[in-house]
Protein backbone atom coordinates (compact mmCIF):
# COMPACT_ATOMS: atom_id res chain seq x y z
CA UNK A 1 0.00 0.00 0.00
CA UNK A 2 1.43 3.37 -1.00
CA UNK A 3 -0.85 5.71 0.86
CA UNK A 4 -4.11 6.07 2.67
CA UNK A 5 -6.49 9.02 2.58
CA UNK A 6 -9.86 9.50 4.25
CA UNK A 7 -12.88 11.03 2.51
CA UNK A 8 -16.31 12.23 3.64
CA UNK A 9 -18.08 9.75 1.36
CA UNK A 10 -17.48 6.71 -0.80
CA UNK A 11 -18.41 8.78 -3.87
CA UNK A 12 -15.70 11.34 -3.06
CA UNK A 13 -13.12 8.57 -2.61
CA UNK A 14 -14.07 6.93 -5.91
CA UNK A 15 -13.90 10.25 -7.74
CA UNK A 16 -10.43 10.82 -6.28
CA UNK A 17 -9.26 7.34 -7.36
CA UNK A 18 -10.38 8.07 -10.95
CA UNK A 19 -8.60 11.45 -10.95
CA UNK A 20 -5.45 9.94 -9.46
CA UNK A 21 -5.36 7.14 -12.05
CA UNK A 22 -5.80 9.68 -14.85
CA UNK A 23 -3.00 11.86 -13.47
CA UNK A 24 -0.63 8.89 -13.19
CA UNK A 25 -1.41 7.83 -16.80
CA UNK A 26 -0.71 11.38 -17.94
CA UNK A 27 2.62 11.60 -16.08
CA UNK A 28 3.70 8.02 -16.90
CA UNK A 29 2.03 6.95 -20.18
CA UNK A 30 2.95 3.27 -19.91
CA UNK A 31 2.93 0.89 -17.00
CA UNK A 32 1.83 -2.36 -15.43
CA UNK A 33 -1.80 -3.29 -16.21
CA UNK A 34 -2.00 -4.91 -12.76
CA UNK A 35 -1.70 -1.53 -10.98
CA UNK A 36 -4.89 -0.18 -9.40
CA UNK A 37 -6.11 2.49 -7.03
CA UNK A 38 -8.29 0.75 -4.46
CA UNK A 39 -11.02 2.33 -2.34
CA UNK A 40 -11.90 0.57 0.91
CA UNK A 41 -14.59 1.39 3.44
CA UNK A 42 -14.20 1.80 7.20
CA UNK A 43 -14.40 -1.95 7.75
CA UNK A 44 -11.62 -2.66 5.25
CA UNK A 45 -13.95 -3.97 2.52
CA UNK A 46 -12.97 -3.03 -1.05
CA UNK A 47 -15.70 -0.91 -2.64
CA UNK A 48 -13.93 0.23 -5.82
CA UNK A 49 -10.89 -0.68 -7.90
CA UNK A 50 -9.69 1.75 -10.56
CA UNK A 51 -7.23 0.43 -13.15
CA UNK A 52 -4.35 2.83 -13.64
CA UNK A 53 -3.39 1.25 -16.96
CA UNK A 54 -6.53 -0.41 -18.35
CA UNK A 55 -5.89 -3.42 -20.55
Amino acid sequence: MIGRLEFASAAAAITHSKQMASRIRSDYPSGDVDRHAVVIDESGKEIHREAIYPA
Side-chain angles (χ1 to χ4, degrees):
M1 173 171 40
I2 292 176
R4 185 178 196 140
L5 301 172
E6 292 187 26
F7 294 87
S9 68
I14 292 168
T15 297
H16 180 76
S17 74
K18 291 175 182 289
Q19 292 169 343
M20 186 175 64
S22 178
R23 211 171 18 230
I24 293 169
R25 278 192 301 275
S26 176
D27 291 347
Y28 306 96
S30 61
D32 185 353
V33 296
D34 291 328
R35 300 254 175 174
H36 296 81
V38 178
V39 178
I40 59 171
D41 66 12
E42 301 83 18
S43 69
K45 178 183 172 194
E46 183 178 314
I47 60 170
H48 181 76
R49 179 175 290 256
E50 184 70 28
I52 295 175
Y53 298 102

